[in-house]
Amino acid sequence: MTDTTFRSPNKKGKIAVFISGRGSNFMALHDSIKKGYINAGITVVFSNKKNAPGLQIAQDRNLEILYLRPKNYESREDYDMAIAKELRSRDIDLICLAGYMRILTAEFCREFKHRIINIHPALLPSFTGLHVQQKAIDWGVRFSGATVHFVIPDVDMGPIITQAVVPVLQKDTEDTLSARILKEEHKIYPEAVRLYFEGRLEVRDRRVLILDSLFKS
Ligand code: GRF
């Protein structure tokens, strides 16, 4: 008996992308889907910010967009429940957080367990939270990078799917390091979603195994 807890589905997936800002990771995902690299479609692009630039881009790309105004809800739980209802009605397989700046409630994370992934601009578990590129520079690490991980109620702590490493240069500013990391984000996020819908991600406790990987040995 193995202790496998989750195996991602091998199917054409329905994705909801959550954004709060410019949406470059959303675009990278969408571009990869259009090229046939990922076996999925973006069903809806959701935002908690009415004027998120990425929402406008999604609209220009003829994708369904959805905005819910947080102030219309009494609590974070109510807000997330409203989102969950929208997702259920669209039969969403995977939620891709892409610069979504609200912390999801534990209840929401539980309902969509193993169906929410996030991209973080540092090598987790180092540098959680915000402004992590500056934190990496200030700490003096020689390398930082990006991480795609499953989302659990503990922020930035879910099982890691893919990572990319970039050097931290002595002359780096928050902006230059962010740009170097972002380039890698746009590669590893599509890669992680592709693996997900190829049915190749297996979560065993904290570890995510990539099935049939060239790098398994
Ligand atoms: C990215 O750096 C991502 O890692 C972080 O938020 C930023 C979003 O950028 N979670 P964008 O909106 O995808 O361009």
Side-chain angles (χ1 to χ4, degrees):
M1 269 300 274
T2 63
D3 55 349
T4 303
T5 55
F6 173 78
R7 167 89 176 264
S8 68
N10 186 347
K11 65 184 288 197
K12 181 158 198 274
K14 293 173 95 175
I15 295 175
V17 185
F18 283 25
I19 61 170
S20 300
R22 73 190 157 187
S24 72
N25 278 289
F26 143 62
M27 284 189 273
L29 288 173
H30 189 226
D31 292 345
S32 298
I33 286 170
K34 283 193 298 188
K35 281 185 202 139
Y37 180 70
I38 300 171
N39 183 25
I42 295 179
T43 301
V44 64
V45 178
F46 170 75
S47 185
N48 62 322
K49 298 274 183 202
K50 194 176 178 192
N51 297 319
L55 217 47
Q56 184 60 53
I57 295 166
Q59 194 165 32
D60 295 344
R61 291 180 174 212
N62 292 316
L63 294 169
E64 187 196 355
I65 60 168
L66 176 67
Y67 159 69
L68 295 178
R69 186 168 179 261
K71 284 197 176 131
N72 290 356
Y73 299 85
E74 274 189 6
S75 63
R76 288 176 53 233
E77 283 73 17
D78 285 358
Y79 186 70
D80 281 7
M81 255 162 24
I83 305 172
K85 198 171 158 205
E86 297 286 348
L87 300 181
R88 273 184 234 122
S89 74
R90 290 172 180 77
D91 239 344
I92 295 298
D93 296 300
L94 183 68
I95 299 161
C96 295
L97 305 184
Y100 183 63
M101 300 304 281
R102 269 174 83 91
I103 293 172
L104 294 167
T105 55
E107 208 180 334
F108 187 93
C109 293
R110 269 195 296 274
E111 170 163 357
F112 294 97
K113 190 173 179 194
H114 294 133
R115 288 193 289 150
I116 317 172
I117 63 177
N118 181 44
I119 179 111
H120 182 79
L123 290 176
L124 290 173
S126 292
F127 309 122
T128 57
L130 298 175
H131 301 293
V132 295
Q133 298 92 337
Q134 187 62 51
K135 284 180 190 167
I137 292 171
D138 293 345
W139 195 265
V141 293
R142 301 296 185 204
F143 295 94
S144 189
T147 304
V148 180
H149 63 93
F150 283 100
V151 171
I152 61 172
D154 281 344
V155 176
D156 298 332
M157 298 305 277
I160 290 168
I161 302 170
T162 48
Q163 291 187 304
V165 179
V166 308
V168 180
L169 307 180
Q170 233 150 252
K171 60 180 185 214
D172 263 333
T173 62
E174 184 174 13
D175 284 350
T176 59
L177 180 58
S178 299
R180 193 175 309 119
I181 292 173
L182 194 64
K183 252 180 140 173
E184 298 303 315
E185 293 183 36
H186 296 162
K187 293 181 202 153
I188 65 168
Y189 211 178
E191 188 187 337
V193 177
R194 174 189 168 109
L195 291 168
Y196 190 94
F197 287 116
E198 283 178 346
R200 291 176 61 195
L201 299 181
E202 189 167 286
V203 185
R204 293 195 195 168
D205 301 320
R206 275 220 54 86
R207 298 179 68 205
V208 179
L209 305 187
I210 297 177
L211 304 176
D212 305 322
S213 168
L214 292 173
F215 307 108
K216 71 182 159 199
S217 52

